[in-house]
Amino acid sequence: MTTTMDRRSLLTRAALGATGLVAASAMGSLAPETAFAAATQYPEPGQPDPNFAEGLIMGRNQDLLQVQGSDGRLHRIQLTGVTSVWKLRPTTLDQVRVGDGLYARGVLMPDGTLAAESVWVNIVNLTVSITSIGRSALQLEHHGQKVVGHVQPGLTAAVYNGTPAVSDLSMLKVGRHAQVIGAWRPGTNEIDIATVYASN
């Protein structure tokens, strides 16, 4: 297992330009649920975690992102050769775009830059009511807002009552509540669905 010190050293070297050090998967889980668990870890009560950032990508200079946090803070996030990237599925750095939203976890460098070990792009975690079920999309309502959830063949899965994830969505029911993890399509009320957590 990679220790905190090993990870810090690895990310420091990667941020300074030493790439190809280890496979990105060695840095830890890239499961979408991990992004939301990361968001709740605070080093001291009431203080933001210095090794976590979230917000909207406002600029990109090669592998350095300028991100406006939802709390108004500005973040500089350095993507490296060992950064794991999730954008509905594990992907590569070139899929990260200005206008995307993100969660990032890594190591805060002395200059205030976050050297990212994991980045989740456009990730959403919504509590919804299912209003309609179609062949390729679910019509959802989230706090009074309509959301279109696109089913991705071979990727979208459902978890019923905590059982293992399956690709069968036939047990979803109109009028039931569910939790949906997916990727937002920027500028729209549409998401691509990764996982639906439902009771049947």
Side-chain angles (χ1 to χ4, degrees):
M1 177 180 247
T2 305
T3 67
T4 301
M5 194 57 158
D6 289 339
R7 186 184 64 177
R8 180 178 297 276
S9 173
L10 174 68
L11 286 167
T12 300
R13 287 185 288 156
L16 295 175
T19 59
L21 298 172
V22 297
S25 60
M27 300 304 293
S29 174
L30 194 60
E33 294 81 1
T34 306
F36 301 105
T40 62
Q41 299 171 5
Y42 301 102
E44 295 179 23
Q47 297 299 312
D49 185 342
N51 299 313
F52 179 80
E54 58 75 34
L56 191 67
I57 301 172
M58 306 301 289
R60 178 172 182 174
N61 183 359
Q62 296 182 327
D63 293 334
L64 182 67
L65 305 178
Q66 293 83 41
V67 175
Q68 174 84 52
S70 61
D71 60 0
R73 290 191 302 154
L74 295 174
H75 303 280
R76 289 180 300 140
I77 300 174
Q78 179 69 56
L79 305 179
T80 76
V82 297
T83 302
S84 298
V85 180
W86 181 95
K87 193 173 184 180
L88 190 62
R89 58 179 57 82
T91 188
T92 55
L93 302 179
D94 62 331
Q95 297 302 306
V96 180
R97 309 266 192 270
V98 171
D100 284 339
L102 64 68
Y103 286 94
R105 175 157 286 287
V107 173
L108 189 65
M109 306 301 287
D111 68 355
T113 300
L114 182 70
E117 68 178 71
S118 298
V119 172
W120 296 271
V121 181
N122 293 333
I123 191 168
V124 293
N125 180 3
L126 305 176
T127 302
V128 301
S129 175
I130 301 171
T131 60
S132 176
I133 300 173
R135 182 181 299 260
S136 60
L138 304 178
Q139 302 296 321
L140 310 168
E141 185 173 297
H142 172 68
H143 297 299
Q145 301 293 316
K146 295 187 184 310
V147 177
V148 179
H150 295 279
V151 175
Q152 302 300 303
L155 176 69
T156 301
V159 173
Y160 301 102
N161 297 319
T163 60
V166 295
S167 60
D168 180 10
L169 304 183
S170 65
M171 290 188 285
L172 296 177
K173 294 180 173 58
V174 171
R176 294 287 178 90
H177 288 86
Q179 177 187 1
V180 176
I181 292 181
W184 169 56
R185 296 183 179 184
T188 73
N189 67 333
E190 301 178 46
I191 64 170
D192 294 314
I193 300 174
T195 310
V196 181
Y197 295 86
S199 56
N200 57 9

